[in-house]
Amino acid sequence: MRVAVVCTDPGIPVFGSKGASVHLQAVLRELVADGHEVHVVSPRRDGVPLPGVHLHRLPAVTGRGGERERSARASDAAVAAVLDRVRPELVYERYSLWGRTGTAWARAAGVPALLEVNAPLPEEQRLHRSLTDPAAADAVAAAALSAASAVVCVSDAVADWARAVSARPDRVHVEPNGVDVDRVRPAGRPVTPAAGTSFTVGFVGSLKPWHGVETLVDAVAALAATDPGWRLLLVGDGPMAGPLLDRAAALGVSSAVEATGALPPAEVPAQLHRMDVAAAPYPPAEPCYFSPLKVFEYLAAGLPVVASRVGQLPALLAPDRPGGEPLGVLVPPGDVPALAGALAALRADVARRERLGRAGRRAAEQRHTWRGVVRRSLAHALGAAPDRRLQPAGGPR
């Protein structure tokens, strides 16, 4: 099948190292692996295209404020000419703030369109950035969501928003993010003893305010005050990188904190292997509609996870269902003593760390591979009943 993957968001380099880039590259790999002819339509050309993927560049998005919004709409409008040339049999679009042409083209051409929604972008733009024309952004969202054959949202919270916006709420489905269990594997070394000379807590992701990493810095600083063997490894970059390192210095733990900066996705597994416990310390009072890629990667790496009790994380890490085994430890968001206590308890309990690591890896392989996510998503758009157990015949790759 000839598939056009459309991403008109100028903030997402399809072949870059951001979380959204990792997500898109995973989708592309699975489509290519399943034998589809894949065409990417994007205004960004950063990085090296994946083998087997044809890249079609849209006009670049430029300017600031209202000028940038108009530029983004003009870039999106150019999608139609690309699709006229490619003539896809399926349009797979990552929902963007000003992206409506891909789904509209598919509807007019009579081909299925799958719209992947990761966030309520008009609300997110208003909250964290600026939006000159909110009514137009809401209209674009309604048009794109209503025109798609199927809408897959990464969380229940995003799906609630999508159903409220779309004229076809019956077409909205939930498919959380996944992980490449071949790229991300356990370290293959014994777990660190409780009395080891060093113990590393890790975080992977962009260093932005809504990730709450300052709580993690404070927790590790509290632990390091009585045991200098505690280490904090921050893998990623962002506007909070400087303030976080300044905070560590003010707390007297600069030597215990290492920040790698942004790394290519291929280099992240090696950093995960340096960690003994991984954290997702989301803060309180933030809308939490994410499906955190980092947590799926922690699980695939066989790492014990400590995370805030927000959003999807309780259902993922502490499932309240018969036979559901815990995959991590939940703490109140923004609670430094609770986070420090959970980390210390895990360090002291080697058997529990081993048990959580094995359960996390097993869950990643059985329920959270990208292959399963992509195949179920396509089934929504193509009309087949999605198999929730869908995995490769020979097991996860």
Side-chain angles (χ1 to χ4, degrees):
M1 183 166 57
R2 190 162 50 255
V3 182
V5 177
V6 179
C7 177
T8 60
D9 190 330
I12 300 178
V14 175
F15 303 107
S17 59
K18 297 176 68 172
S21 308
V22 172
H23 184 164
L24 273 166
Q25 290 165 34
V27 170
L28 296 173
R29 285 194 186 90
E30 297 303 334
L31 292 172
V32 171
D34 276 348
H36 301 301
E37 179 184 319
V38 181
H39 297 256
V40 171
V41 186
S42 167
R44 299 286 295 263
R45 192 186 284 274
D46 318 49
V48 179
L50 301 178
V53 172
H54 307 274
L55 179 60
H56 305 265
R57 190 180 182 192
L58 297 170
V61 177
T62 60
R64 302 176 65 85
E67 180 185 353
R68 186 171 182 82
E69 293 175 7
R70 290 188 291 276
S71 177
R73 278 185 267 188
S75 181
D76 175 72
V79 169
V82 176
L83 298 182
D84 283 342
R85 294 196 303 273
V86 172
R87 304 306 297 179
E89 297 159 274
L90 169 71
V91 173
Y92 184 121
E93 181 162 11
R94 181 182 174 103
Y95 164 58
S96 303
L97 186 62
W98 300 109
R100 64 188 301 174
T101 302
T103 50
W105 184 94
R107 186 174 188 177
V111 302
L114 174 61
L115 188 67
E116 173 201 299
V117 183
N118 293 268
L121 294 181
E123 296 178 12
E124 188 175 274
Q125 190 76 6
R126 279 188 282 259
L127 180 63
H128 295 293
R129 303 177 189 94
S130 65
L131 189 56
T132 302
D133 193 345
D138 290 339
V140 168
L145 288 159
S146 301
S149 309
V151 176
V152 291
C153 301
V154 297
S155 71
D156 291 326
V158 174
D160 289 343
W161 170 79
R163 292 188 181 104
V165 170
S166 173
R168 296 298 306 269
D170 56 308
R171 295 179 177 178
V172 177
H173 311 275
V174 177
E175 292 291 349
N177 281 326
V179 63
D180 183 338
V181 294
D182 289 332
R183 182 177 67 85
V184 182
R185 293 177 174 274
R189 61 171 171 80
V191 299
T192 300
T197 55
S198 67
F199 190 87
T200 300
V201 181
F203 171 88
V204 176
S206 57
L207 301 178
K208 293 183 176 176
W210 52 83
H211 284 148
V213 184
E214 67 277 7
T215 304
L216 186 58
V217 172
D218 291 355
V220 172
L223 293 165
T226 56
D227 181 347
W230 286 91
R231 296 285 183 272
L232 175 58
L233 175 59
L234 303 177
V235 180
D237 201 358
M240 292 296 291
L244 288 169
L245 294 178
D246 291 344
R247 192 182 191 99
L251 293 168
V253 291
S254 287
S255 61
V257 179
E258 177 184 349
T260 67
L263 294 177
E267 296 182 20
V268 171
Q271 300 300 324
L272 291 167
H273 293 170
R274 299 174 60 200
M275 301 174 186
D276 296 301
V277 173
Y282 289 101
E286 287 283 349
C288 193
Y289 42 76
F290 311 109
S291 179
L293 288 171
K294 64 174 67 58
V295 175
F296 294 105
E297 293 191 341
Y298 297 162
L299 296 177
L303 285 167
V305 180
V306 179
S308 299
R309 189 179 288 106
V310 297
Q312 284 187 309
L313 294 174
L316 174 64
L317 298 176
D320 181 19
R321 63 174 186 272
E325 56 183 343
L327 307 179
V329 178
L330 297 170
V331 297
D335 189 330
V336 173
L339 179 56
L343 293 170
L346 277 172
R347 180 174 182 174
D349 193 339
V350 173
R352 189 183 186 199
R353 277 190 273 137
E354 291 176 329
R355 189 165 59 249
L356 288 172
R358 287 193 299 269
R361 176 65 190 184
R362 186 162 54 245
E365 290 181 336
Q366 294 178 349
R367 298 195 296 275
H368 302 301
T369 67
W370 278 123
R371 190 176 203 193
V373 171
V374 171
R375 286 188 169 188
R376 290 193 298 270
S377 298
L378 262 60
H380 289 304
L382 300 175
D387 184 348
R388 307 302 306 181
R389 303 162 301 173
L390 192 55
Q391 295 289 357
R397 295 179 303 167

